[in-house]
Amino acid sequence: MSEREPNLDVDVEIRDDRTAVLTVEGELDMETADRLEDLLAEQFGQGRRRLVLDLAALGFMDSSGLNVLIRAVNRAREIGGDLYLAAPTPAVRRILEITGVTTTIPPHDGVADALAAAGGAR
């Protein structure tokens, strides 16, 4: 029996001392949520308070992924920052809407819009 490789790629782009864009691609689920959570925590640890998650290539997200987003937005707001979601795929947007997460973390049409909302560099 072979193990399935976790299908999550995350690219981190530092925009300035307080802003980073994390491009999340693949599946955000029970097997991969810890990886994203660790990367978000690393950014917070480096003093970045405005984190943009580019979800344009995220094909699937389950409750584990939702929990990572909720914990991250709470952490960001505790330290005077925020979490911004950019370009969620229709499937991911639907999960965000059904669970009410869009009321807490409203999604933006694209990274540029999210960065504008964050007040960060484009």
Side-chain angles (χ1 to χ4, degrees):
M1 184 169 167
S2 65
E3 277 189 43
R4 185 174 79 83
E5 274 298 306
N7 179 20
L8 183 76
D9 292 315
V10 181
D11 179 59
V12 180
E13 179 186 351
I14 307 306
R15 290 301 184 109
D16 60 39
D17 289 346
R18 295 182 179 235
T19 309
V21 176
L22 288 80
T23 301
V24 185
E25 181 177 345
E27 299 175 3
L28 183 53
D29 57 22
M30 187 171 69
E31 292 181 9
T32 61
D34 286 345
R35 177 156 185 258
L36 179 60
E37 190 156 35
D38 290 346
L39 290 168
L40 292 166
E42 181 180 315
Q43 293 306 309
F44 290 134
Q46 293 177 5
R48 292 190 190 84
R49 297 177 178 173
R50 298 178 303 226
L51 301 182
V52 174
L53 296 184
D54 180 356
L55 305 179
L58 185 64
F60 175 80
M61 181 171 59
D62 70 5
S63 61
S64 299
L66 285 170
N67 285 327
V68 169
L69 298 183
I70 292 165
R71 284 191 297 272
V73 75
N74 288 337
R75 174 72 178 126
R77 290 175 181 170
E78 284 172 4
I79 60 174
D82 214 338
L83 183 73
Y84 304 87
L85 305 180
T89 58
V92 171
R93 181 181 288 270
R94 182 75 178 130
I95 290 167
L96 295 169
E97 289 171 349
I98 289 171
T99 58
V101 171
T102 55
T103 61
T104 304
I105 319 169
H108 299 274
D109 289 337
V111 171
D113 293 335
L115 284 169
R122 288 183 185 247

